[in-house]
Amino acid sequence: MNAAELHKDAIVIDGLICAKWNRELFEDMSKGGLTAANCTVSFWENFQNTVNNVVEMNQLIEASSDLLLKVHTTADIHRAKQEGKTGVMMGFQNANAYEDQIGYVQVFKDLGVGIVQMCYNTQNLVGTGCYERDGGLSGFGREIVAEMNRVGVLCDLSHVGAKTSEEVILESKKRVAYSHCLPTGLKEHPRNKSDAELKFIADHGGFVGVTMFAPFLKNGIDSTIEDYVEAIEYIYNIVGEDSIGIGTDFTQGQDQNFFEYLTHDKGYARRLTRFGKIINPEGIRTVGEFPNLTEALLRRGFSETQVRKIMGENWVTLLKDVWGA
């Protein structure tokens, strides 16, 4: 198979997209051959506002049902592939929406939320994010992890502090993930993960999705798709071919207000970081350019089997292990 044929035949999963949800984006997902994507529906929002976001996403899926279907199980991912649609996996980048109610884990799971990050950059009731002194996983956090394990929700640790991440990895009875991260071995940044952290999660059965968010890449906004593939290869060499996937962190169509919301604690309080200018790597600036990644991985020397795993098969295996279906 050539690169185009392989991409068309493969299951292609993006483990994190927080783009501007609209018809134009969904058409670009189709152009890019995305089988499924983890679509963020909560950052700083509380329970009610997150429910509102889920309602809005449901309406968008219904309005573009020729392009999308809602994912509850990995069987839905395979159905999306068969029907030539993109499966929408709803996810949180913060457990804040659970508030102090353990029962909300089941409520949101029933609504279709199967991937939840324990905290987003700062402290919440569960644990600590990567931009604060890390106090580790709270007692309530241990209960949340146990409930996520019980109902089948993936624990995501991408923006989580190192100590909290380690304690979640040890606490969880099911596989956990960094859905979207990069290595500090290529660039020092609070959001990037050390070789030891990457090895630790893999050694405990976990998973790493590799992001291409320019501020965290070695060459920043001057990065190309080759820089992204270099980061994939770097992590691959640490975690192995069965524990790695894609989690781009596409923010396609978002405006400056969105990034201001992300970079302030709770969405409005103290500034946590400045991203500066954000330009995706040349060669994969839009979701529609996803086929270029398959081509770049093959060009780098990855085999067809390895590319299939990286582009989506490993995500399916992980989610089936966690979701149970």
Side-chain angles (χ1 to χ4, degrees):
M1 280 189 181
N2 63 31
E5 291 168 339
L6 177 57
H7 189 84
K8 187 175 181 180
D9 188 64
I11 288 176
V12 178
I13 294 181
D14 193 334
L16 198 287
I17 294 184
C18 49
K20 182 71 174 175
W21 310 123
N22 54 32
R23 176 78 187 187
E24 183 182 6
L25 178 80
F26 304 145
E27 289 173 348
D28 215 31
M29 285 177 162
S30 179
K31 178 184 176 184
L34 254 67
T35 310
N38 171 22
C39 301
T40 301
V41 295
S42 188
F43 287 99
W44 301 111
E45 292 91 337
N46 62 9
F47 174 83
Q48 182 60 62
N49 289 334
T50 299
V51 170
N52 295 346
N53 290 346
V54 172
V55 169
E56 183 178 349
M57 182 61 86
N58 284 341
Q59 292 169 342
L60 288 166
I61 294 169
E62 181 65 28
S64 292
S65 59
D66 58 321
L67 296 173
L68 307 175
L69 64 80
K70 188 171 176 178
V71 170
H72 290 272
T73 67
T74 55
D76 294 328
I77 296 175
H78 290 291
R79 183 162 67 90
K81 183 65 181 178
Q82 291 164 2
E83 296 181 9
K85 296 180 180 180
T86 300
V88 175
M89 306 183 288
M90 287 193 280
F92 297 168
Q93 291 208 53
N94 198 340
N96 193 56
Y98 290 154
E99 298 184 354
D100 60 356
Q101 300 297 314
I102 295 169
Y104 287 175
V105 178
Q106 179 76 66
V107 168
F108 278 117
K109 172 69 173 180
D110 292 346
L111 293 177
V113 177
I115 302 172
V116 170
Q117 189 167 235
M118 311 314 293
C119 28
Y120 186 71
N121 293 336
T122 62
Q123 182 84 41
N124 64 14
L125 295 177
V126 168
T128 312
C130 61
Y131 286 109
E132 286 194 315
R133 181 172 57 87
D134 194 343
L137 187 65
S138 69
F140 175 72
R142 295 178 196 283
E143 294 180 277
I144 288 290
V145 169
E147 183 68 357
M148 289 172 70
N149 286 174
R150 186 187 74 80
V151 306
V153 178
L154 175 66
C155 296
D156 183 1
L157 303 169
S158 303
H159 289 250
V160 179
K163 184 177 180 183
T164 300
S165 294
E166 179 183 349
E167 292 182 357
V168 171
I169 291 165
L170 295 174
E171 186 72 21
S172 181
K173 303 296 188 290
K174 291 191 174 181
R175 299 177 69 192
V176 304
Y178 297 126
S179 69
H180 58 297
C181 75
L182 283 165
T184 57
L186 292 178
K187 183 173 183 177
E188 280 286 341
H189 193 283
R191 264 284 282 114
N192 292 351
K193 309 299 179 183
S194 69
D195 290 6
E197 288 173 304
L198 294 167
K199 187 174 187 304
F200 188 81
I201 196 170
D203 286 349
H204 289 80
F207 179 92
V208 181
V210 188
T211 186
M212 58 172 207
F213 193 60
F216 310 152
L217 280 168
K218 182 177 70 176
N219 292 322
I221 62 171
D222 297 319
S223 297
T224 67
I225 197 169
E226 300 301 334
D227 294 308
Y228 183 30
V229 170
E230 179 189 17
I232 292 169
E233 184 178 54
Y234 186 100
I235 291 176
Y236 175 99
N237 288 334
I238 295 172
V239 306
E241 71 177 55
D242 296 318
S243 301
I244 188 170
I246 302 301
T248 63
D249 208 357
F250 260 117
T251 56
Q252 194 165 322
Q254 297 287 12
D255 62 15
Q256 187 58 35
N257 288 334
F258 172 77
F259 292 106
E260 289 299 312
Y261 183 65
L262 295 193
T263 55
H264 286 79
D265 188 24
K266 311 298 183 284
Y268 70 89
R270 74 188 188 280
R271 177 173 290 282
L272 300 169
T273 186
R274 291 183 188 274
F275 292 142
K277 194 172 184 179
I278 296 168
I279 302 175
N280 290 329
E282 183 183 352
I284 190 164
R285 294 251 157 96
T286 64
V287 181
E289 292 184 292
F290 239 97
N292 294 346
L293 182 56
T294 295
E295 182 180 8
L297 287 167
L298 289 170
R299 196 163 57 240
R300 190 80 177 190
F302 287 100
S303 70
E304 179 182 314
T305 299
Q306 290 165 341
V307 171
R308 286 180 183 273
K309 287 183 174 185
I310 294 168
M311 291 300 289
E313 286 181 2
N314 286 343
W315 263 116
V316 177
T317 301
L318 169 73
L319 294 171
K320 190 164 188 180
D321 288 345
V322 174
W323 292 352

